[in-house]
Amino acid sequence: MKTSAAILNKNPRFADFSAAEMEDFLSYFTKESYIAGELILREGDKGDKFSIIADGEVGISKDVNEQTSLFLNNLKAGDFFGEMAILTGYPRSANAKALTAVAILSITGERLDVMKKAHPAIFGKFVWIMAKTVSERMYKLEERLSGILNASLSENFL
């Protein structure tokens, strides 16, 4: 597995981080491992951490009902999840499941507060990355919903 810094340096979202900032940034994270098929986060649980994928693939899904889940996204090394819950403190809005063996870097809300006080510039860059990501995901979701509504309306009026 590549180093965490090497993985994030390839992600254009982290391009504004210097090598020293990246080292400081990553010092707030802990490493976690999951086996293929293992649930990492459950929809509805407390949103207490943010995770960056260091290695492997994670599937994001939303429960429709007790028997059905809707697959939303496939995330790979350098991608991240949990940004909405860590910023708002709201319960998890989706499930995250290891599709392969997965290594992730996670930060809790408490560690994020420590980073904010100790390294406000790094924290600011990080929050900007999360804000852009949430905006992009919302835009894609709106496009998907629009397509679903258009298809639904077309079927109902034909």
Side-chain angles (χ1 to χ4, degrees):
M1 178 176 75
K2 295 179 182 176
T3 67
S4 302
I7 291 165
L8 292 185
N9 285 333
K10 287 188 173 188
N11 185 329
R13 295 180 197 281
F14 292 92
D16 289 342
F17 280 71
S18 69
E21 287 175 327
M22 184 62 71
E23 188 176 318
D24 287 339
F25 174 69
L26 290 173
S27 72
Y28 289 91
F29 287 76
T30 57
K31 293 182 181 180
E32 300 176 19
S33 298
Y34 296 89
I35 60 171
E38 191 173 1
L39 193 62
I40 301 169
L41 302 173
R42 182 181 310 280
E43 181 177 351
D45 285 353
K46 180 181 178 188
D48 58 354
K49 69 180 177 179
F50 166 87
S51 301
I52 301 171
I53 302 168
D55 194 30
E57 294 184 29
V58 173
I60 305 297
S61 64
K62 179 105 176 117
D63 292 337
V64 177
N65 57 42
E66 290 183 18
Q67 295 85 24
T68 308
S69 290
L70 175 65
F71 181 79
L72 299 175
N73 206 353
N74 183 31
L75 304 177
K76 298 181 180 184
D79 292 332
F80 48 82
F81 55 93
E83 68 278 353
M84 290 177 16
I86 195 86
L87 289 173
T88 64
Y90 293 162
R92 297 282 177 202
S93 62
N95 301 302
K97 185 177 185 178
L99 299 177
T100 64
V102 175
I104 63 173
L105 303 168
S106 294
I107 187 169
T108 64
E110 290 175 7
R111 293 291 292 158
L112 194 59
D113 284 341
V114 172
M115 180 198 302
K116 180 172 70 172
K117 292 173 185 155
H119 297 284
I122 293 171
F123 176 80
K125 287 180 181 184
F126 179 51
V127 171
W128 179 249
I129 290 167
M130 288 195 294
K132 286 173 56 177
T133 301
V134 169
S135 296
E136 289 168 2
R137 289 180 181 166
M138 290 299 297
Y139 181 80
K140 289 177 183 177
L141 177 61
E142 288 172 358
E143 284 183 326
R144 288 174 89 180
L145 287 174
S146 179
I148 291 168
L149 289 172
N150 284 334
S152 176
L153 290 173
S154 297
E155 289 176 12
N156 289 333
F157 288 111
L158 293 178

